[in-house]
């Protein structure tokens, strides 16, 4: 008896967008290396291959020269070797340890509290529109020490830049809007950067302007590019993660009640969400020489699309991978927010997300405050809403009913 090999899924198809997880299974089992003509890239889906692409030095981030630079400028993600380590060390201290806890935790707490207060007594909320999409962007704007009245501009810029980065089909209008946003953001921020160099304050932008290692400082353009990257990477990961964490917990009431009773489990719920339903499903790399992966050889200079969403549900890596379980023993909670994590949502190795601890802190504070304000949380429509997106993915709306608890 002969078996039929399933057709190769198309990552730009409507079927894939509706249900990528079924396609991921087909890819992992039957098509672990796919040449995708429309995006001019190889697509990989197995955990072992994605892990190699993130950790091994032969896989460079040269793809960001065309993927990110047109809309952000040249960022730390495009740097290698000493240049990368120096610039990472210039920005990293602000996102961990004492600076994060002392300077920015009060900013995070206040922004979350203000948003929750606006709907706390209503008994219903669209958590995406009224909280998740606003919270992390407002935090970043306040961390940078920028005017609160400019929050609206940043939401518009953020949406435009994410549209550019997610534009796998090459829509010319979306591309043009992203390029306009880059120019607007530069015109807005560069004069402020120059002023902060001359008149530093106690904000993140001043810290970036005056950070120095071995006589090296970031240029105005490098600071602007980092802030643009922070706006999108920090906002996108966190806003979609908040919605997905809450969705997954409400869909699993016993786990929701466990987290409600013990807020220290919020970090575990976030880590499992990063594995089960990551905010970003695709990250690209470009090998500097021919590399053999499952299914064949990738030639030097070709783009490799690494499917995070597929790797993080690989049964070769996790038991029962399609089940959400904050207590799963095969997800290393001790390393979940480090470069040694055994999930791929924040990348791995030298380009591990510099803002991972900021995202964790925002989630712990935000989810904790939400659970303190909302009892008996249920889906307003009686069932979890669908997810949307291919490059990034999360519910577009999360309508909940709840009982105000205070």
């Amino acid at each position: 008896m002969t078996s039929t090999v399933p057709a190769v899924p198309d990552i730009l198809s409507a079927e894939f967008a509706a249900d990528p997880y079924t396609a991921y299974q087909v890819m992992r089992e039957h098509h672990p290396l796919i040449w995708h003509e429309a995006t001019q890239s190889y697509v990989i889906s197995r955990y072992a291959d994605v892990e190699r692409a993130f950790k091994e030095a032969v896989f460079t981030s040269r793809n960001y020269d065309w993927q990110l630079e047109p809309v952000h400028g040249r960022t730390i993600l495009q740097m290698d070797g000493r240049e990368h380590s120096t610039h990472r060390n210039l920005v990293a201290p602000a996102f961990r340890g004492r600076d994060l806890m002392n300077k920015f935790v009060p900013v995070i707490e206040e922004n979350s509290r203000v948003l929750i207060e606006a709907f706390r007594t209503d008994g219903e909320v669209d958590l995406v529109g009224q909280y998740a999409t606003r919270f992390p962007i407002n935090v970043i704007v306040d961390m940078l020490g920028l005017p609160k009245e400019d929050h609206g501009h940043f939401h518009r810029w953020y949406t435009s830049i994410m549209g550019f980065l997610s534009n796998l089909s090459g829509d010319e209008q979306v591309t043009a809007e992203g390029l306009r946003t880059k120019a607007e953001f530069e015109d807005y921020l560069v004069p402020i950067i120059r002023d902060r160099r001359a008149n530093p304050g106690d904000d993140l932008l001043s810290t970036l302007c005056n950070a120095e290692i071995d006589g090296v400082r970031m240029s105005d353009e490098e600071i602007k590019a980092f802030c643009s990257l922070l706006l999108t990477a920090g906002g996108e990961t966190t806003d979609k993660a908040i919605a997905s964490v809450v969705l997954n917990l409400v869909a699993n009431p016993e786990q929701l009640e466990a987290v409600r009773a013990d807020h220290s489990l919020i970090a575990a719920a976030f880590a499992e969400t990063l594995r089960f339903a990551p905010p970003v499903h695709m990250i690209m790399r470009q090998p500097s020489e021919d590399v053999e992966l499952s299914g064949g050889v990738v030639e030097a200079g070709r783009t490799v699309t690494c499917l995070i969403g597929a790797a993080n549900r690989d049964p070769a890596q996790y038991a029962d991978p399609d089940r959400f379980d904050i207590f799963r023993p095969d997800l290393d909670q001790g390393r979940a927010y480090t470069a040694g994590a055994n999930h791929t949502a924040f990348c791995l190795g030298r380009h591990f997300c510099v803002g991972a601890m900021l995202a964790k802190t925002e989630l712990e504070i935000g989810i904790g405050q939400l659970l303190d304000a909302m009892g008996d949380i249920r889906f307003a429509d009686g069932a979890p809403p669908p997810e949307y997106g291919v490059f990034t993915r999360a519910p577009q709306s999360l309508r909940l009913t709840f009982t105000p608890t205070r």
Side-chain angles (χ1 to χ4, degrees):
M1 182 177 179
T2 60
S3 59
T4 303
V5 175
V8 177
D10 179 2
I11 62 174
L12 296 184
S13 68
E15 293 80 8
F16 181 87
D19 180 17
Y21 294 106
T22 296
Y24 291 157
Q25 182 178 357
V26 172
M27 291 175 172
R28 287 190 306 261
E29 292 181 7
H30 302 283
H31 307 287
L33 183 67
I34 299 167
W35 171 250
H36 189 253
E37 186 68 25
T39 58
Q40 289 290 291
S41 72
Y42 283 100
V43 180
I44 60 175
S45 51
R46 292 180 178 173
Y47 185 96
D49 291 328
V50 172
E51 181 182 40
R52 286 185 59 197
F54 289 161
K55 285 186 173 182
E56 294 183 4
V58 66
F59 288 93
T60 75
S61 54
R62 295 291 178 236
N63 52 287
Y64 290 141
D65 293 350
W66 57 265
Q67 190 181 12
L68 297 185
E69 187 166 345
V71 72
H72 286 311
R74 188 168 184 268
T75 72
I76 189 173
L77 295 179
Q78 296 163 255
M79 300 175 186
D80 288 308
R82 182 174 178 80
E83 181 187 32
H84 175 262
S85 61
T86 298
H87 280 76
R88 188 178 180 92
N89 288 334
L90 284 168
V91 303
F95 297 93
R96 64 186 182 217
R98 187 182 309 168
D99 276 359
L100 177 60
M101 297 305 295
N102 293 346
K103 282 187 179 181
F104 301 131
V105 162
V107 173
I108 296 169
E109 291 173 336
E110 176 64 11
N111 274 283
S112 177
R113 186 195 65 76
V114 168
L115 289 170
I116 292 172
E117 194 63 27
F119 63 80
R120 182 180 60 82
T121 60
D122 294 348
E124 61 181 44
V125 64
D126 175 4
L127 201 72
V128 173
Q130 293 175 254
Y131 184 86
T133 59
R134 298 181 177 277
F135 173 44
I137 303 301
N138 292 356
V139 167
I140 290 168
V141 173
D142 286 355
M143 286 175 65
L144 291 169
L146 300 172
K148 287 185 181 293
E149 58 266 27
D150 291 342
H151 279 189
H153 294 307
F154 278 87
H155 282 277
R156 179 170 57 82
W157 290 333
Y158 159 75
T159 301
S160 174
I161 293 172
M162 280 313 306
F164 180 96
L165 299 178
S166 304
N167 188 22
L168 297 176
S169 61
D171 185 298
E172 293 183 359
Q173 185 174 345
V174 173
T175 298
E177 178 59 30
L179 297 178
R180 280 195 296 272
T181 293
K182 182 195 176 192
E184 285 184 23
F185 188 69
E186 186 169 335
D187 290 344
Y188 171 89
L189 196 62
V190 169
I192 298 175
I193 291 170
R194 291 171 180 164
D195 179 70
R196 295 292 165 88
R197 288 197 192 278
N199 304 289
D202 194 33
D203 53 80
L204 175 58
L205 192 56
S206 296
T207 299
L208 296 173
C209 287
N210 293 284
E212 182 176 339
I213 294 178
D214 297 331
V216 176
R217 287 190 174 193
M218 297 172 71
S219 68
D220 292 354
E221 171 62 27
E222 288 171 337
I223 294 172
K224 186 274 300 179
F226 180 78
C227 291
S228 179
L229 181 65
L230 177 64
L231 177 68
T232 51
E236 185 74 2
T237 298
T238 308
D239 74 35
K240 285 181 163 50
I242 290 168
S244 294
V245 168
V246 174
L247 184 154
N248 290 329
L249 288 175
V250 175
N252 295 273
E254 291 183 1
Q255 296 183 60
L256 172 61
E257 292 313 307
V259 174
R260 186 186 294 282
D262 181 0
H263 284 193
S264 71
L265 291 173
I266 294 172
F270 182 24
E272 174 65 349
T273 294
L274 290 172
R275 184 204 67 81
F276 180 77
V280 179
H281 274 232
M282 300 178 183
I283 289 180
M284 297 176 181
R285 288 290 184 263
Q286 185 174 309
S288 58
E289 57 188 61
D290 291 0
V291 180
E292 185 171 356
L293 295 170
S294 299
V297 174
V298 174
E299 301 89 357
R302 291 291 194 181
T303 300
V304 179
T305 297
C306 307
L307 296 181
I308 292 171
N312 281 354
R313 291 207 190 184
D314 190 339
Q317 179 71 15
Y318 308 101
D320 199 5
D322 294 320
R323 178 171 58 89
F324 180 83
D325 179 8
I326 65 173
F327 301 108
R328 66 169 50 250
D330 49 9
L331 183 62
D332 189 339
Q333 291 291 340
R335 298 186 298 161
Y337 302 97
T338 74
N342 70 331
H343 65 81
T344 61
F346 282 134
C347 285
L348 298 166
R350 67 194 184 283
H351 282 294
F352 180 79
C353 176
V354 71
M357 291 306 298
L358 172 62
K360 176 176 180 286
T361 303
E362 288 179 310
L363 262 291
E364 288 179 320
I365 291 171
I367 299 295
Q369 289 188 358
L370 287 167
L371 293 180
D372 287 343
M374 302 164 64
D376 191 28
I377 305 172
R378 300 173 185 268
F379 295 118
D381 297 325
E387 296 180 336
Y388 293 90
V390 173
F391 184 78
T392 60
R393 189 169 180 86
Q396 290 182 341
S397 174
L398 181 56
R399 296 179 57 249
L400 303 170
T401 61
F402 62 92
T403 302
T405 58
R406 54 181 171 82

